[in-house]
Amino acid sequence: MHPGEAVFVAQDLTKHYEMGEVTIEALRGVDLELRTGELVVLLGPSGCGKSTLLNILGGLDTASGGSLRYRGQDLTRAGERMLTRYRRNDVGFVFQFYNMIPSLTARENVAIVTEIAPDPLSPEEALSLVGLADRMDHFPSQLSGGQQQRVAIARAIAKRPSVLLCDEPTGALDSATSVSVLESLETLNRELGTTTALITHNQCIGGMADRVLHMSDGRIVNVTANPSRAAPRDLHW
Amino acid sequence: MSPPTPPAPPRAIFIGENMRALNRKLFRDLSHSKGQSFAIATVMAAGVMTLVVFVTALDALRFTQERFYDDHEFAHLFADLTRAPKQLESRIRALPGVRGVEIRVRAPVRVEVEGFPDPVRGEILSIPPGHPPEINRLYLRRGMLPEGSETAIAVNEVFAAAHGLQIGDTLRMVIRGQRVRLRVSAIVLSPEFVYQLAPGSLIPDYERYGVFWMSERVLSRAFAMEGAFNNVVLTLDGTVPEADVKAELDRLLARYGGLGAAGRDEQVSHRFLEEELSQIEAMTTVLPAVFLGTAAFLLHVLMGRMVRTQREQIALLKAFGYSNRAIAAHYASFSGLVVSIGVIAGVVLGARVAEGLARMYLTYFRFPDLDFRLRSGVLLLSAAVAGGAALVGAFSAVRQAASLPPAEAMRPAPPPTFRKTLLERSPLWGHFAQTSRIMFRNLSRHPLKAVFSVTAIACGCALLVVGSYQFGAVDHMLDIQYRVLMPMDAHLMFTDPVHERALGELRHPTGVRYLEGYRSVPVRVHQGFRSVQTSILGMEADSALRPLVTESGRRVPLPRDGLLMTDFLAEDLGLKAGDTVALEILEGRRRRVYAPLAGVVSEPMGVNLYMERRALNRLLREGPALSGVWMLNDAEQQEQLFQELAEVPALAGMSDMRQAERNVRAHIEGTTLGVMGVVLLLSFSISFAVVYNNARIALAERERELATLRVLGFSRGEVAWVLVAEVALLTTLAIPLGWLLGTGLARLLSKSMSMDLYRVPFHITPWTYSFSAAAILGASLISLLLMSRRVWRLDMVSALKSAE
Ligand SMILES: Nc1ncnc2c1ncn2[C@@H]1O[C@H](COP(=O)(O)OP(=O)(O)O)[C@@H](O)[C@H]1O
Ligand SMILES: [Mg+2]
């Protein structure tokens, strides 16, 4: 993993949804490059296509047009099996609503991923990394929102993914809890070198990124690079 | 599994040891939906159980029958004749294809059992000198065969049991007008009388009809048959077709008054045994099909709902790299587990009940013992059928889970589209409370789900209709038979046909109010390759004691000439009004005659031909003869009447029709209704399972909504109303549908269970409908009560906590 090597290269990515007679253009030609070890924040108003882009990057969905390469592999042409393997081995996801499996404990929610990954951390290690070593046997219903989101992060990084994709991970959290979640993400990015893409519609979170991609109406309209990353606790909410 | 290009994944994605967390989810999901899973497993178990019970009972009875027949040399041909010299035996033995022959004397008797006032009839068969019978061997339950003794007699077990006879007890009998005292020396069973039935009756009466065996020497002397025989039974070696042997035998016996030999298919005991067994066979298909169909349907509903509510979890697992196959396997294992529980419970229960059911039949079919066996093939078959049903039930849900695109599912389910329903646009809408409106919207928002629930409850209701209609239908059938078609009080039979003058004498005994004579003659109806043995009943054209009716209940007068026939038989033989019927008269000299079929009549029990009595006399080329008499008499003086009639020598027997009716009711209740009772019990539990399942789903799906209402300040009662109203509405819609479905199934069952002996008419009483509706409503009520605790303690906080 050399800093600066391209992980994702997207060219003129488009995505449209057919809704009966109307066609919704969710992505109207996105060009993008993500580099190893980067922490990138995707910023934009609701409905501008952030989730759509992230889903395509993560192999949850496929683009309607354009090309997307992951470490030289063409994801736009990948079949279901290849995408499944890609998601299993290379990508970690964190979602706004934590998406815990309610019938499994925190430890088991992580285990469900480590059990199928090739070289995972143990669930205990992963949970320690997010500071939840003492809550491993709690069910999601017994955890607060922030704790659930940290379990979700532990679950995402436990497989040692090469990219971590987070869709509004703090969207449902208060600011204090958000800080602790963002700190977890920041630490992991720094210490494990996991390439991280983070969606938010909260301007100030952009301060902790290497680069901020501004999206609007299905396009990336502006890219700003931060000379230095701010620590989450120093962000102005 | 592994893709052709890039190296195979380092770990398998199957459900297995590597996926303990997923397995744990499986078990937790199972225990979370345990009420519903249990309900489905119950229905599954009921289906498997009925299958195992009926198939195993049938198998055990057939196996027992086969063993008894083989070990006791059950004859292949049976022939009655007037009288032939014993020397004829060697010529019969010499016929090609014959393996064994036994000539016998067979004598009708009247029996007097001490302390039993009713008339009792029976027959005695001879035991050859020097050795026990070699064909239709007797199974000796107790005592010793009466080989040489003058006064010893062997008694068929059912008769002995009905009267509590023991070895050493005495019986008085009238053989050819002579009174003799006999001592019971043995209690036996015979393959010839597994089902002991008096000639001409449809239902066994073990108290009033018995079969006995005594030494040939003694019996021939008493019956004036010395050096002769009047009955012969044969076993065949299989080298010559049975029909050919029968033809040769008939030719040989024709001179001696032979009436034509009967194969096993016409032997009374065997035939009725076969009919009962084929009735069980009908049940082995219809009932399990209904139950397993319902189970598959419920599984479909449960799995569909589970996949719907776990959309996000499924998507998440896929986002983590679980393959479609692993997801499919996960949900398939869930239904597999539920089904396995059902199958195991069904097999275990079925195996227990099967033996009980088979033994219940053994009170009617007398075998030495039940050879009960549980065949692994039957169990495998049941498991396979249940598995197939489960597969059908779970298939669409599993496929749906597998094909759910991960990104699509990550978004919360698209908000329901609202359209104002007709109801909402109507002025009525304004009168509904908010909570009722929520209920209506919930239902109209997911119309498919509502349709599923309604259909599921309707299935339960339909099963109740099927399980209960026979009670009413059987009653209806017996009412028709005994109140409408056979309203006589007593029935007297002459030993031989008598002149109609005899009627005059029979008017005198105490209490006789009305008499009608009839002529009855056994015949064989030939139609194409088929032939059926039955009898022609000759009676008054406008008989008051044996009216004939059409299916719609309209009276049919007997034509001057020509025959009427039971519609079931006419249909069976493919005969219709206007056809000529070929008849072989099985009395006296056998002749073949032809008579036109004037029409058909409907009757639920037995099959018969009818003619005007004098027309029948003409057909038989005889004077105005009678075979018997039907009478109306005073019930209070009946005992006195029977005592006086017992002194009339020409009477072979008499029967009390009210007693006969009671017997028939008891018999049918004992067999058919016993089985239907089990079915009804299962229907009950299934209906409850279905209704509870449905109400539970409704609660689970509304829990958050209901908690929200509580948060908003609605009272518990108001909140409960949303659920109660929904369950009530769905149930109300389901009941008529269930009636419709049940009526169809009942018709199917009626049809598949029709037979010569009786045909339960397709008759559903209002009682059945109201009963099934009441049971469903009751089940709904109990389900709601069971859930009321949950509604009461709705956890407002946690219900709102997990975000949507
Ligand atoms: N499955 C879908 N079907 C139709 N339209 C969709 C679908 N998913 C997203 N969209 C539309 O695509 C656009 C972009 O959505 P999304 O990427 O979720 O936005 P964001 O995450 O930036 O808020 C929106 O207009 C949304 O309505
Ligand atoms: Mg979004």
Side-chain angles (χ1 to χ4, degrees):
Chain A
M1 249 191 243
H2 308 290
E5 187 190 315
V7 182
F8 288 108
V9 181
Q11 278 167 344
D12 196 25
L13 269 188
T14 59
K15 177 73 183 179
H16 50 87
Y17 296 104
E18 312 282 345
M19 299 278 289
E21 300 106 74
V22 288
T23 302
I24 294 171
E25 304 272 354
L27 295 182
R28 300 168 185 265
V30 169
D31 295 306
L32 155 112
E33 209 180 281
L34 284 192
R35 290 185 283 272
T36 305
E38 252 193 324
L39 196 162
V40 172
V41 164
L42 266 168
L43 207 58
S46 183
C48 70
K50 304 183 296 291
S51 297
T52 305
L53 178 59
L54 204 75
N55 287 347
I56 293 173
L57 291 183
L60 288 178
D61 210 347
T62 48
S64 309
S67 83
L68 172 63
R69 301 180 86 74
Y70 166 74
R71 295 190 191 286
Q73 273 183 325
D74 190 351
L75 287 184
T76 35
R77 256 176 267 288
E80 172 55 33
R81 277 189 187 177
M82 190 172 155
L83 286 179
T84 299
R85 208 155 34 77
Y86 165 61
R87 293 196 302 263
R88 172 155 21 115
N89 298 345
D90 298 342
V91 190
F93 284 105
V94 178
F95 302 98
Q96 179 176 0
F97 295 118
Y98 340 129
N99 293 68
M100 296 284 100
I101 293 185
S103 53
L104 298 181
T105 61
R107 187 205 307 266
E108 289 161 355
N109 260 289
V110 177
I112 204 154
V113 169
T114 57
E115 282 170 5
I116 60 164
D119 180 26
L121 304 173
S122 72
E124 293 76 13
E125 286 176 89
L127 285 165
S128 305
L129 281 177
V130 297
L132 281 178
D134 54 340
R135 294 301 180 95
M136 287 197 283
D137 292 319
H138 289 211
F139 281 94
S141 58
Q142 299 165 323
L143 296 171
S144 73
Q147 288 168 333
Q148 287 188 55
Q149 192 60 301
R150 273 146 68 201
V151 175
I153 292 169
R155 186 172 61 181
I157 52 101
K159 68 167 74 160
R160 304 183 206 268
S162 57
V163 291
L164 186 58
L165 305 177
C166 314
D167 193 344
E168 309 209 19
T170 58
L173 303 173
D174 61 72
S175 57
T177 318
S178 295
V179 168
S180 77
V181 166
L182 292 175
E183 272 176 343
S184 295
L185 287 174
E186 205 273 337
T187 315
L188 293 165
N189 170 260
R190 193 158 27 76
E191 291 179 0
L192 303 179
T194 314
T195 311
T196 305
L198 196 157
I199 287 182
T200 180
H201 53 249
N202 187 339
Q203 289 270 343
C204 65
I205 292 179
M208 64 180 278
D210 291 312
R211 286 192 299 154
V212 181
L213 313 181
H214 296 268
M215 278 191 83
S216 169
D217 199 19
R219 288 193 186 84
I220 295 179
V221 290
N222 188 14
V223 180
T224 53
N226 290 330
S228 67
R229 287 169 25 173
R233 78 178 75 245
D234 300 331
L235 299 172
H236 302 284
W237 291 82
Chain B
M1 179 63 223
S2 55
T5 44
R11 294 205 188 186
I13 334 186
F14 293 114
I15 291 278
E17 49 184 284
N18 302 335
M19 293 165 78
R20 290 174 310 262
L22 202 57
N23 290 341
R24 220 162 289 154
K25 165 171 158 15
L26 189 71
F27 286 111
R28 298 233 174 92
D29 284 347
L30 198 62
S31 82
H32 181 71
S33 56
K34 56 179 173 292
Q36 295 144 56
S37 307
F38 180 74
I40 291 167
T42 307
V43 182
M44 213 61 170
V48 171
M49 184 178 145
T50 42
L51 195 63
V52 170
V53 165
F54 288 112
V55 172
T56 304
L58 187 67
D59 176 63
L61 288 171
R62 284 227 181 273
F63 184 54
T64 304
Q65 174 194 29
E66 219 168 89
R67 288 270 302 270
F68 192 38
Y69 281 6
D70 283 354
D71 294 352
H72 291 77
E73 288 288 318
F74 185 45
H76 293 104
L77 285 174
F78 307 77
D80 282 314
L81 49 146
T82 315
R83 180 191 182 97
K86 281 184 162 184
Q87 289 82 338
L88 199 63
E89 182 186 355
S90 56
R91 289 181 56 197
I92 298 173
R93 200 177 288 279
L95 291 177
V98 172
R99 189 176 69 205
V101 177
E102 196 144 285
I103 55 173
R104 310 187 293 189
V105 174
R106 182 177 169 196
V109 286
R110 267 168 41 196
V111 186
E112 288 163 17
V113 185
E114 207 155 323
F116 187 75
D118 295 4
V120 177
R121 289 187 300 145
E123 65 177 271
I124 308 186
L125 286 162
S126 62
I127 294 177
H131 63 86
E134 274 163 8
I135 297 177
N136 297 337
R137 283 184 195 161
L138 298 176
Y139 174 86
L140 194 62
R141 182 76 85 193
R142 273 197 302 277
M144 273 168 56
L145 286 186
E147 281 173 50
S149 160
E150 290 281 326
T151 57
I153 193 162
V155 181
N156 198 19
E157 188 183 51
V158 274
F159 185 80
H163 290 286
L165 293 176
Q166 303 294 334
I167 305 290
D169 286 357
T170 55
L171 284 172
R172 284 225 297 249
M173 293 198 187
V174 183
I175 310 177
R176 250 179 47 111
Q178 264 177 280
R179 268 213 165 72
V180 288
R181 269 175 72 90
L182 298 165
R183 189 180 52 79
V184 175
S185 79
I187 289 171
V188 298
L189 290 123
S190 159
E192 206 177 350
F193 301 99
V194 169
Y195 196 79
Q196 182 197 282
L197 202 62
S201 57
L202 291 171
I203 297 292
D205 183 345
Y206 302 139
E207 285 184 304
R208 293 170 193 79
Y209 185 79
V211 178
F212 310 90
W213 287 262
M214 67 192 286
S215 147
E216 186 197 290
R217 203 164 44 81
V218 184
L219 185 62
S220 345
R221 191 156 15 90
F223 200 58
M225 271 283 165
E226 282 152 307
F229 66 96
N230 65 354
N231 174 273
V232 59
V233 288
L234 280 69
T235 52
L236 307 181
D237 59 18
T239 56
V240 177
E242 183 182 302
D244 296 358
V245 183
K246 179 177 143 36
E248 285 297 304
L249 180 67
D250 286 354
R251 208 177 44 75
L252 209 57
L253 297 181
R255 280 184 53 201
Y256 303 100
L259 292 177
R264 284 182 178 181
D265 56 336
E266 284 179 347
Q267 201 263 344
V268 173
S269 161
H270 181 79
R271 208 183 109 218
F272 278 77
L273 183 55
E274 286 299 315
E275 287 219 336
E276 291 278 358
L277 292 181
S278 71
Q279 220 182 28
I280 304 180
E281 216 165 301
M283 303 236 202
T284 60
T285 46
V286 178
L287 292 178
V290 170
F291 288 146
L292 290 176
T294 310
F297 178 74
L298 287 179
L299 195 64
H300 175 81
V301 174
L302 175 75
M303 292 304 296
R305 167 180 172 268
M306 185 152 168
V307 167
R308 243 181 293 117
T309 53
Q310 298 194 350
R311 254 169 66 95
E312 289 168 28
Q313 296 184 35
I314 294 167
L316 191 75
L317 290 171
K318 287 189 180 179
F320 294 154
Y322 279 85
S323 68
N324 292 345
R325 260 175 90 158
I327 300 293
H330 176 67
Y331 287 93
S333 335
F334 181 87
S335 40
L337 266 172
V338 174
V339 170
S340 307
I341 295 169
V343 168
I344 292 169
V347 164
V348 169
L349 284 172
R352 281 167 172 248
V353 174
E355 185 161 3
L357 184 75
R359 290 208 179 278
M360 185 195 91
Y361 276 100
L362 248 52
T363 54
Y364 297 93
F365 308 137
R366 288 307 179 122
F367 293 110
D369 196 11
L370 182 68
D371 285 304
F372 186 78
R373 57 177 180 180
L374 203 55
R375 285 215 282 201
S376 53
V378 173
L379 304 185
L380 284 178
L381 171 85
S382 318
V385 172
L391 209 66
V392 171
F395 181 75
S396 78
V398 169
R399 204 187 47 180
Q400 211 182 326
S403 63
L404 205 67
E408 201 94 330
M410 276 334 288
R411 297 185 183 85
T417 41
F418 279 101
R419 252 181 323 112
K420 289 209 162 182
T421 56
L422 233 53
L423 180 67
E424 289 178 49
R425 272 174 290 190
S426 79
L428 230 60
W429 187 245
H431 297 290
F432 286 113
Q434 267 323 314
T435 44
S436 301
R437 292 186 192 192
I438 291 174
M439 185 273 294
F440 278 118
R441 288 229 173 93
N442 279 337
L443 291 180
S444 61
R445 201 190 293 167
H446 303 288
L448 204 66
K449 228 155 57 181
V451 167
F452 268 149
S453 309
V454 168
T455 315
I457 302 174
C459 282
C461 181
L463 290 179
L464 282 163
V465 171
V466 171
S468 64
Y469 93 97
Q470 288 224 342
F471 292 91
V474 166
D475 241 13
H476 176 73
M477 170 180 90
L478 296 173
D479 284 353
I480 292 184
Q481 187 73 19
Y482 287 99
R483 305 277 148 83
V484 179
L485 300 180
M486 297 173 72
M488 65 286 265
D489 296 325
H491 173 195
L492 315 180
M493 288 143 277
F494 299 115
T495 318
D496 294 303
V498 300
H499 195 275
E500 65 184 12
R501 272 194 301 268
L503 269 184
E505 291 163 37
L506 286 169
R507 281 186 222 288
H508 304 309
T510 314
V512 175
R513 290 205 315 243
Y514 177 71
L515 282 179
E516 231 174 63
Y518 70 88
R519 176 75 169 101
S520 166
V521 63
V523 293
R524 180 183 294 280
V525 184
H526 290 272
Q527 167 71 359
F529 296 109
R530 298 200 42 203
S531 73
V532 171
Q533 195 178 327
T534 171
S535 55
I536 308 181
L537 210 52
M539 48 201 208
E540 304 305 324
D542 54 350
S543 169
L545 297 184
R546 198 66 171 77
L548 299 171
V549 298
T550 61
E551 198 176 355
S552 59
R554 196 170 46 78
R555 284 264 332 227
V556 187
L558 274 168
R560 276 169 152 294
D561 277 305
L563 287 164
L564 294 179
M565 186 184 278
T566 312
D567 50 7
F568 182 79
L569 181 61
E571 205 170 292
D572 195 28
L573 292 174
L575 287 167
K576 55 186 189 311
D579 288 352
T580 299
V581 185
L583 301 164
E584 190 182 352
I585 306 291
L586 302 179
E587 190 185 271
R589 281 186 44 238
R590 292 163 59 212
R591 285 185 304 123
R592 201 179 260 244
V593 296
Y594 297 88
L597 182 63
V600 295
V601 296
S602 178
E603 54 194 337
M605 301 179 75
V607 293
N608 266 305
L609 303 181
Y610 301 94
M611 274 185 106
E612 201 282 320
R613 177 163 63 83
R614 282 151 209 91
L616 178 58
N617 289 145
R618 278 195 300 280
L619 191 74
L620 298 174
R621 297 184 198 161
E622 64 183 13
L626 299 179
S627 309
V629 171
W630 299 314
M631 61 167 60
L632 293 176
N633 58 270
D634 286 335
E636 291 93 65
Q637 297 172 302
Q638 177 139 314
E639 202 163 314
Q640 164 91 25
L641 171 68
F642 280 144
Q643 263 165 25
E644 290 175 36
L645 289 173
E647 305 302 321
V648 179
L651 284 184
M654 43 206 154
S655 57
D656 173 350
M657 293 307 288
R658 298 295 142 240
Q659 182 60 44
E661 179 185 347
R662 279 194 291 280
N663 280 337
V664 169
R665 283 188 196 269
H667 177 83
I668 295 185
E669 266 155 33
T671 53
T672 309
L673 296 189
V675 171
M676 292 322 283
V678 173
V679 171
L680 189 60
L681 210 71
L682 287 174
S683 310
F684 254 133
S685 54
I686 287 169
S687 303
F688 180 71
V690 171
V691 171
Y692 177 74
N693 189 42
N694 182 64
R696 217 30 215 87
I697 288 179
L699 175 62
E701 288 180 347
R702 309 271 177 271
E703 215 152 15
R704 184 172 301 158
E705 191 172 65
L706 300 184
T708 311
L709 287 176
R710 292 278 290 124
V711 172
L712 295 180
F714 282 81
S715 73
R716 285 185 170 127
E718 285 167 328
V719 167
W721 171 248
V722 176
L723 201 65
V724 171
E726 175 171 342
V727 169
L729 184 69
L730 293 180
T731 307
T732 313
L733 290 174
I735 287 172
L737 184 66
W739 285 342
L740 207 69
L741 219 66
T743 307
L745 287 173
R747 187 181 282 276
L748 198 73
L749 195 65
S750 271
K751 213 165 183 61
S752 68
M753 283 175 53
S754 293
M755 52 179 194
D756 289 2
L757 176 56
Y758 59 83
R759 300 163 288 282
V760 176
F762 176 69
H763 174 84
I764 301 192
T765 56
W767 179 85
T768 297
Y769 288 124
S770 28
F771 166 79
S772 56
I776 291 286
L777 290 174
S780 304
L781 199 67
I782 296 173
S783 305
L784 285 172
L785 285 176
L786 282 176
M787 292 188 314
S788 61
R789 201 175 48 98
R790 276 184 96 97
V791 176
W792 222 245
R793 302 216 183 126
L794 266 181
D795 184 347
M796 287 179 254
V797 181
S798 83
L800 296 178
K801 185 163 158 188
S802 48
E804 182 135 33

